[in-house]
Amino acid sequence: MDQNETLFQRARALIPGGVNSPVRAFRAVGGTPRFVQRAEGAYFWDANGKRHIDYIGSWGPMILGHGHPRVLEAVLQAARDGFSFGAPTEREVELAEAIVRHLPAVEMVRLVSSGTEAAMSALRLARGATGRSKIIKFEGCYHGHADALLVKAGSGLATFGHPTSAGVPAEVVQHTLVLEYNNIAQIEEAFATHGRDIACLMIEPIAGNMNFVRASVPFMQRCRELCTAHGALLVFDEVMTGFRVGLGGAQAHYAGLIPGFKPDLTVLGKVIGGGMPLAAFGGPRAIMEQLAPLGPVYQAGTLSGNPVATACGLATLEAISQPGFYEALAQRTRSLVEGLSNAARETGVAFSADCEGGMFGFFLLPALPQNYPAVMKSDAPKFGRLFHGLLDRGVYIAPALYEAGFVSSAHSAADIEETVAAAREVFRTLG
Ligand code: PLP
């Protein structure tokens, strides 16, 4: 009897779709989700006891792999000292210090429990600090499930968006303008039309929620210039890219390409919690001091800065700050991307791939797409066959076309080789 299927049946009886977050349900690829029994290093074992090489890593947080000894020790020690106090602790200060040390754009930081909460709070702060209502987001970028951010493009550029979820009133998204990623003409027009009303432009600088699409340098530069010229805040959603594409996140990457570049606000999550529920948002002192209890923008949380989560995040940040960590991680990730690309070429499969630090993406398309409509041209049934072929061979990638993948420091050269060999076999069957 397939234990994954048995568990899925039990789960579906009580939990909508059998899962506590929709993408886990395998709806995009069909089949039965794997229920994880335990994980260690680069692997997890499912309910049947089958081992998988894990390229999801909890959707990004597990940059050290599962059960890193020093992180585990820090978490156990913190748990012994108490789970939650609802009062401040030294570790919150230490984590804030660690974040600020690595991100020059962040002078102050507020800890929260999820990326959704961090993005929602950053948005409220941007609106509160500017006294404006309108916001810009981009089609294909995901910033969590706050109402104002669950929006798709309206019928024309100058019109505001439509909700992408039932339960979000049209009035709630009437201030959200949804534009095409990497389209400079559209942001110019949007600022020309609405400039004095725009509180912020929120962007995934390397968009991991349409698999892997980089903001072009001219586009990013124009986003910065227009925000500055119109008094809007540039908000970098680095929930996925923060401490993942490099120690300084995507903002350090763009600062290396655009002299003096900095976002105004930064949204963080995933890696900073090392697998525990922890996220954050931060920025310049003058803006962050608008938050309660100092300022008029309200924001709070019972479990914010949780002592066990902060211990996990701190131990993770300490491990990834060691010299050479990102060079080794990037090298391993590149070897995966190159191996997959070569295997696709040998077997005649249209394929394009990209990576930065420990994050990668690939498309069953001959060239890397630059925006959401181009990503949507991917062949979904073919991806489903690739996904299941890999899964059968013990390689676990995201069960959806539009999701980035993650390599951890626990992935060995042998893991990458095994993955590429599995992919080569599956590519041969794709035709
Ligand atoms: N922002 C980005 C870029 C994300 O990738 C995600 C989640 O995947 C979120 C925000 C929301 O984070 P969470 O799932 O922790 O609420």
Side-chain angles (χ1 to χ4, degrees), residues 114-116 142-144 204 209 237 239-240 270:
S114 73
T116 292
Y142 177 66
H143 305 291
E204 279 185 81
N209 288 288
D237 181 347
V239 167
M240 199 182 284
K270 299 194 190 269

Side-chain angles (χ1 to χ4, degrees), residues 23 25-31 55-56 59 208-212 340 349-353 360-365 375-393 395-406 422-423 426-427 429-431:
V23 73
F26 277 25
R27 295 293 278 253
V29 290
Y55 289 104
I56 300 185
W59 299 92
N209 288 288
M210 39 181 167
N211 201 324
F212 191 108
L340 293 175
V349 171
F351 188 86
S352 53
F360 69 91
F362 65 77
F363 301 89
L364 295 173
L365 294 170
V375 170
M376 292 293 281
K377 296 205 171 89
S378 302
D379 184 335
K382 202 180 236 184
F383 175 80
R385 276 154 55 211
L386 173 61
F387 171 81
H388 279 292
L390 290 173
L391 191 64
D392 289 346
R393 290 164 177 80
V395 175
Y396 190 67
I397 61 167
L401 260 178
Y402 310 115
E403 308 284 351
F406 305 99
V426 184
F427 285 155
T429 69
L430 288 185

